[in-house]
């Protein structure tokens, strides 16, 4: 098998400060080149922290990181200096819910995109501006020549989102990290951005990790889905597997609580309770206090991470039986 | 039109039930809330050289009614005037013109704003901003009744009652401050705070939008329970069409400060008449990996309500637009299903529009 584009093994991230936060507790993720992985989970489940680790964006002095993080075989944790600078923006790019996290208010869109192209590719100013224009056209910003000279605040919300995508993709990264980039948008604009990302991802042959809490959004963009809970990946599989035969009780709960197609008058199947505080590292299944099918063995230790098939993993004691069942078949 | 219908109904019932019952039936069918031609334009700051830079037509001639015990959903893209409508209803901002009739009495001339606010309460999206960081939860909930003259002990007892009703154990939560609660718990407190006024109508403006899916489902169930238990009427504003479908009896669709379609929930979702409503519904993400969305139903961002387009405001984005659409504003038209109305020339016989089938 060829080298995976992303290979995260047993990642732990802990923040120290006023409170200790065990944000990521043993995450494993892989992504093949050109593939899109949707990461689904509620707020605080460690989605953003996992993405930021791939770009080494976490505050180093207060953060303790353990585990192996590789992009195209390169050890991300060992990068420094020029190699790290090239990694950020040249190999891996990120887009956010709030485009102002990526865009600088005091420079025009054209200046920001061309600056990156000159820095990463050593292009001349003319070449870099030509690339900026090409990118703005590609993300379908109307009157792109004029928009090159616009400042971020002069654009509407959807247009800023497009400008941020143009900036992120200008140096043709191998990996795009998308952290809820459509969460704040109207559905009518969201679907435009999702289709655009799908198209650019295919054209550029780039891999993408797309974080969202909306199952419908994950379905629109992903090949595979990873479901996160309390800093762990509790289930992975193809988007079809996750939707049609979810195995982990949390995934099942999420799908049942989902309102797509819910009818008036039907009571929603809400998961009771709330996610656990992350002030201590988990010693048993983090979902146990809310789990409707909790078994006697669930309190004995951490649940097993069961591989049902290649790329199909479930972190739950009940998956053991499932795995034996399918092995016997 | 509606008036005639009510009278006819009254007469029919009168023959069947005798006059007194008929009068009662008429009162029951009178809407709890009636809104007529509500309008609010915000002046823009002065442009260069003191020229006025125009007005934002945030809400522009909005009429609708809400019946006792129902949930009216309001949907539409960002900036279409949903929150402004809500804020006008509870007098957080003053309308330029229009009438608000609550329980048969016009707010202003016949009912005081204070009395209206007691009967109509609002819950906002941002539960953190709307709670005072220095008040405990019991004090936050008791505050309203105390301002209205309830003795402190009685107000606190009510607060504990309400905490229990919204699913927060009073002994654990009464003494907590906002930062000691999760988003879902804060939103429960906000609901309790609104209920402390014993309102008839609760306006929920994106009240669950900031919550995680699993918590959102809990709060939606709570809202349904409270509605049944306390006989409430809801105006439910959300940009999430799935949530609105689940919660609403009727749904109103707004575009650039106006109502473009209103109707019973099944009829509106199953048989959307207005091209904008159809586009909104088509923009919802697919839940089927084998049938992903292939084409965006609308291009570009929603336009802003400064100097909105002439005629039908949607004509700049509508793929069915005909010459009449930019020339004339379409009148509200009643469709086959009773109570389903839309404002689109394609549904007006003789308007000069060839209809939605021919243009596609
Ligand atoms: N105080 C104000 N001054 C000027 N313009 C305003 C004011 N309040 C609202 N607007 C404008 O009025 C229009 C309608 O705003 P409103 O908040 O009602 O939209 P909305 O439908 O609630 O949108 P969202 O889905 O984003 O909440 C917008 O263009 C908004 O910018
Ligand atoms: N820089 C930081 N310092 C301290 N705690 C943090 C930091 N970044 C994230 N956290 C905490 O880590 C947990 C996971 O956060 P995050 O990955 O942002 O969640 P999400 O899944 O919503 O993206 C949360 O409890 C969050 O508060
Ligand atoms: S391991 Fe046990 S508690 Fe955890 S999800 Fe599975 S059954 Fe539930
Ligand atoms: S009136 Fe014309 S422009 Fe407006 S929605 Fe109907 S067909 Fe489209
Ligand atoms: Mg996040
Ligand atoms: Mg609003």
């Amino acid at each position: 098998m060829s080298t995976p584009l992303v290979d995260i093994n047993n990642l732990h991230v802990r923040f120290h400060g006023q409170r200790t936060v065990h944000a990521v507790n043993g995450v494993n993720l892989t992504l093949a080149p050109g593939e899109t992985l949707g990461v689904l989970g509620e707020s605080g489940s460690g989605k953003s922290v996992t993405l930021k680790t791939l770009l080494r964006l976490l505050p180093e002095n207060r953060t303790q990181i353990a585990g192996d993080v590789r992009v195209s075989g390169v050890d991300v944790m060992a990068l420094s200096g020029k190699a790290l600078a090239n990694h950020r923006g040249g190999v891996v790019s990120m887009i956010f819910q709030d485009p102002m996290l990526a865009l600088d208010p005091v420079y025009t869109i054209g200046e920001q995109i061309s600056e990156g192209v000159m820095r990463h590719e050593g292009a001349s100013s003319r070449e870099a501006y030509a690339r900026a224009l090409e990118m703005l056209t590609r993300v379908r910003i109307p009157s792109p020549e004029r928009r090159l000279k616009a400042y971020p605040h002069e654009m509407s919300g959807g247009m800023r989102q497009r400008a941020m995508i143009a900036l992120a993709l200008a140096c043709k990264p191998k990996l795009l990290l998308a952290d809820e980039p459509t969460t704040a948008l109207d559905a009518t604009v969201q679907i435009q951005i999702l289709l655009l990302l799908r198209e650019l991802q295919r054209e550029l042959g780039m891999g993408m990790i797309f974080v969202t809490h909306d199952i419908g959004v994950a379905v629109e963009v992903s090949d595979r889905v990873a479901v996160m809970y309390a800093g762990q990946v509790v289930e992975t599989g193809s988007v079809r597997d996750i939707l049609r035969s979810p195995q982990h009780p949390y995934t099942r709960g999420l799908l049942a609580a989902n309102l797509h197609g819910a009818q008036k008058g039907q009571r929603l199947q809400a998961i009771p309770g709330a996610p656990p505080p992350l002030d201590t590292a988990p010693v048993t299944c983090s979902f146990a206090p809310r789990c409707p099918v909790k078994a006697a063995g669930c309190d004995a230790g951490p649940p097993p991470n069961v591989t049902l098939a290649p790329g199909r993993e479930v972190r739950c004691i009940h998956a053991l039986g499932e795995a034996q069942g399918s092995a016997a078949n | 039109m509606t008036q005639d219908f009510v009278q006819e109904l009254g007469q029919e019932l009168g023959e069947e039930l005798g006059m007194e019952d008929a009068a009662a039936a008429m009162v029951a069918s009178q809407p709890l809330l009636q809104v007529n031609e509500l309008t609010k334009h915000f002046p823009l700051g002065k442009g260069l050289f003191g020229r006025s830079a125009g007005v934002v037509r945030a809400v522009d001639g909005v009429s609708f009614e809400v019946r006792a015990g129902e949930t009216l959903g309001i949907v539409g893209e960002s900036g279409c005037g949903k929150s402004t409508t809500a804020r006008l209803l509870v007098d957080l901002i003053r309308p330029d013109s229009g009438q608000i009739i609550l329980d048969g009495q016009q707010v202003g001339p016949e009912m005081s704003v204070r009395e209206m606010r007691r009967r109509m309460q609002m819950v906002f999206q941002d539960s953190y901003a709307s709670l005072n960081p220095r008040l405990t939860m019991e004090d936050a909930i008791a505050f309203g009744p105390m301002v209205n003259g309830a003795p402190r002990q009685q107000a606190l007892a009510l607060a504990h009652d309400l905490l229990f009703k919204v699913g927060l154990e009073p002994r654990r939560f009464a003494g907590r401050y906002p930062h000691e609660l999760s988003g879902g718990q804060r939103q429960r407190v906000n609901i309790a705070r609104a209920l402390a006024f014993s309102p008839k109508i609760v306006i929920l403006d994106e009240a669950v939008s900031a919550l995680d899916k699993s918590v959102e489902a809990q709060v939606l169930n709570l809202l349904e329970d409270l509605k049944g238990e306390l006989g409430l009427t809801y105006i439910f504003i959300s940009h999430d069409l799935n949530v609105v479908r689940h919660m609403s009896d009727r749904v109103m669709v707004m575009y650039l400060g106006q109502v473009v379609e209103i109707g019973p929930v099944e009829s509106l979702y199953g048989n959307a008449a207005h091209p904008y409503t159809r586009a909104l519904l088509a923009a919802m993400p697919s839940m089927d990996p084998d049938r992903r969305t292939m084409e965006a139903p609308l291009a570009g961002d929603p336009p802003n309500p400064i100097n909105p387009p002439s005629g039908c405001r949607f004509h700049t984005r509508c793929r069915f637009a005909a010459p009449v659409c930019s020339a004339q504003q379409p009148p509200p038209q009643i469709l086959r299903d009773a109570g389903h109305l839309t404002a689109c020339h394609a549904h007006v016989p003789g308007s000069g529009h060839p209809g939605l089938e021919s243009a596609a």
Side-chain angles (χ1 to χ4, degrees):
Chain A
M1 232 185 85
S2 61
T3 321
L5 177 57
V6 177
D7 197 357
I8 300 178
N9 255 301
N10 203 20
L11 176 67
H12 290 259
V13 180
R14 188 184 308 172
F15 295 104
H16 297 288
Q18 282 184 324
R19 303 182 306 130
T20 300
V21 181
H22 294 257
V24 172
N25 303 299
V27 158
N28 303 319
L29 281 178
T30 56
L31 182 76
E35 187 182 39
T36 298
L37 175 73
V39 177
L40 204 57
E42 46 201 299
S43 78
S45 59
K47 308 181 296 293
S48 300
V49 170
T50 304
L51 290 196
K52 284 180 186 161
T53 309
L54 280 164
L55 268 177
R56 292 268 304 277
L57 288 178
L58 297 171
E60 312 235 314
N61 51 346
R62 295 193 297 109
T63 316
Q64 190 180 330
I65 304 176
D68 193 41
V69 180
R70 285 172 194 275
V71 173
S72 297
V74 174
D75 181 355
V76 172
M77 300 321 295
L79 291 175
S80 64
K82 252 188 131 156
L84 181 58
N86 181 52
H87 177 76
R88 293 179 178 152
V91 180
V92 184
S93 264
M94 187 153 172
I95 57 178
F96 306 88
Q97 177 174 335
D98 178 1
M100 292 316 281
L101 285 177
L103 298 173
D104 192 325
V106 301
Y107 294 102
T108 65
I109 298 297
E111 284 166 347
Q112 296 185 52
I113 300 179
S114 56
E115 195 271 338
V117 176
M118 289 189 280
R119 186 155 42 87
H120 286 294
E121 300 183 4
S124 72
S125 152
R126 259 186 56 169
E127 288 164 345
Y129 262 90
R131 175 78 62 81
L133 180 61
E134 180 204 325
M135 288 314 298
L136 290 191
T137 312
R138 224 158 164 168
V139 299
R140 287 196 217 97
I141 285 185
S143 349
E145 293 87 356
R146 196 155 55 81
R147 296 294 170 191
L148 277 178
K149 302 191 198 73
Y151 291 92
H153 71 266
E154 296 172 312
M155 307 177 112
S156 70
M159 222 180 314
R160 274 205 287 267
Q161 218 72 16
R162 288 172 194 271
M164 173 178 64
I165 294 170
L167 175 67
L169 301 187
C171 295
K172 312 224 159 31
K174 284 194 260 182
L175 173 63
L176 179 66
L177 307 175
D179 194 356
E180 312 215 26
T182 63
T183 300
L185 301 175
D186 276 307
T188 52
V189 182
Q190 166 171 279
I191 194 71
Q192 297 174 43
I193 300 289
L194 294 179
L195 293 177
L196 175 69
L197 283 172
R198 235 158 69 184
E199 177 190 312
L200 292 170
Q201 186 255 343
R202 203 173 41 232
E203 281 176 16
L204 303 176
M206 138 189 108
M208 177 158 77
I209 302 183
F210 193 108
V211 160
T212 175
H213 59 263
D214 185 327
I215 298 170
V217 168
V219 169
E220 289 285 3
V221 295
S222 322
D223 304 311
R224 285 194 304 126
V225 170
V227 181
M228 285 190 73
Y229 188 79
Q232 291 183 325
V233 174
V234 295
E235 180 161 6
T236 51
S238 72
V239 63
R240 286 176 189 79
D241 284 341
I242 297 288
L243 235 75
R244 292 178 191 156
S245 59
Q247 297 298 316
H248 196 280
Y250 175 65
T251 315
R252 289 187 179 166
L254 262 193
L255 283 164
N258 181 46
L259 281 147
H260 290 268
Q263 293 299 313
K264 169 81 191 150
Q266 258 174 17
R267 229 182 138 66
L268 294 169
Q269 306 246 308
I271 307 173
L278 299 169
D279 47 0
T280 56
V283 285
T284 58
C285 175
S286 300
F287 190 59
R290 306 172 78 186
C291 182
V293 292
K294 184 177 165 216
C298 297
D299 287 328
N305 193 31
V306 182
T307 303
L308 298 176
R312 183 89 182 93
E313 292 175 23
V314 183
R315 197 182 279 268
C316 170
I317 204 165
H318 291 301
L320 279 173
E322 195 66 36
Q324 277 151 15
S326 59
N329 279 336
Chain B
M1 176 20 250
T2 331
Q3 215 55 40
D4 290 351
F5 177 72
V6 170
Q7 261 159 30
E8 246 178 64
L9 186 78
Q11 267 165 23
E12 266 180 45
L13 286 172
E15 282 152 25
E16 261 183 62
L17 303 172
M19 286 316 287
E20 260 166 56
D21 295 342
M26 275 185 63
V27 172
S29 58
Q30 169 197 319
L32 177 56
L33 174 70
Q34 187 168 343
V35 176
N36 293 331
E37 291 293 323
L38 202 59
T39 297
K40 179 71 190 180
H41 295 176
F42 294 105
L44 282 174
K46 288 278 193 301
L48 283 180
F49 314 115
R51 269 184 307 141
S52 168
V55 292
V56 182
R57 294 171 178 262
V59 171
D60 214 10
V62 164
S63 303
F64 61 93
E65 34 178 77
V66 184
R67 294 167 209 146
E70 78 169 347
T71 297
L72 175 73
I74 306 183
V75 299
E77 285 163 311
S78 177
C80 70
K82 305 181 294 292
S83 297
T84 305
T85 301
R87 288 150 54 92
L88 288 169
L89 289 180
V90 294
D91 204 58
L92 285 175
I93 41 177
R94 277 283 142 86
D96 296 339
S97 60
Q99 293 177 318
I100 298 167
I101 299 165
L102 184 56
D103 261 335
Q105 294 177 303
Q106 187 179 347
V107 177
E110 292 165 343
M111 183 189 290
S112 69
V113 166
R114 192 189 168 91
E115 176 56 21
M116 175 276 289
R117 281 216 184 131
R118 203 194 54 70
R119 296 192 207 183
M120 197 149 57
Q121 277 289 309
M122 189 150 160
V123 178
F124 299 92
Q125 164 173 2
D126 191 348
S127 58
Y128 211 69
S130 46
L131 286 171
N132 182 336
R134 279 185 293 272
L135 284 187
T136 60
M137 294 305 99
E138 59 180 359
D139 284 331
I141 298 168
F143 185 79
M146 278 164 62
V147 166
N148 277 319
R152 183 173 162 81
Q153 277 318 310
Q154 192 186 325
L156 285 179
L158 174 70
H160 284 227
D161 231 38
L162 285 169
L163 277 171
F164 182 78
K165 269 208 170 66
V166 297
L168 298 174
E169 176 60 48
R171 266 182 312 166
R172 277 179 63 206
F173 290 95
R176 290 204 193 179
Y177 291 91
H179 72 269
E180 296 172 305
L181 301 181
S182 72
Q185 290 166 343
R186 278 199 297 268
Q187 210 53 321
R188 288 171 189 266
V189 171
N190 272 310
I191 292 166
R193 208 170 50 144
L195 296 180
F197 292 84
S198 312
K200 289 189 161 179
I201 301 182
V202 180
I203 304 174
L204 300 139
D205 187 1
E206 305 280 4
V208 298
S209 304
L211 304 177
D212 273 311
K213 291 291 156 190
S214 71
V215 180
E216 176 183 73
Q218 294 172 4
V219 177
L220 291 176
N221 281 341
L222 170 69
L223 287 171
E224 286 293 359
D225 292 346
L226 291 171
K227 188 181 170 201
E229 214 173 297
L230 305 173
L232 298 171
T233 300
Y234 289 154
I235 297 178
F236 191 91
I237 299 173
S238 173
H239 66 277
D240 186 330
L241 290 153
N242 285 310
V243 175
V244 168
R245 177 181 204 163
H246 177 73
M247 294 298 287
S248 308
D249 298 295
R250 290 189 308 129
V251 176
M252 174 164 116
V253 185
M254 291 183 69
Y255 189 75
L256 285 185
Q258 299 184 326
V259 178
V260 296
E261 184 162 2
I262 184 167
V265 63
E266 316 82 51
S267 180
L268 194 120
Y269 278 74
N271 250 325
H274 198 281
Y276 176 65
T277 311
R278 292 186 186 179
L280 265 189
L281 292 170
M284 289 159 73
S286 151
M287 280 297 284
D288 182 350
D290 294 319
R291 250 176 269 161
R292 290 178 175 186
T293 308
M294 297 316 289
E295 200 189 336
L298 287 178
D301 292 352
N304 73 42
I306 309 168
N307 308 320
S310 63
C312 169
R313 291 186 179 178
F314 187 54
H315 82 252
T316 50
R317 296 165 92 193
C318 180
R319 62 196 191 91
F320 301 102
V324 62
C325 301
S326 50
Q328 277 173 40
Q329 183 164 337
Q333 181 77 17
I334 299 161
L335 303 168
R336 248 169 310 157
D337 271 308
H340 190 162
L341 275 79
T342 193
C344 165
H345 288 299
H347 293 277
V348 182
S351 68
H353 194 288
L356 299 184
E357 280 69 32
S358 55

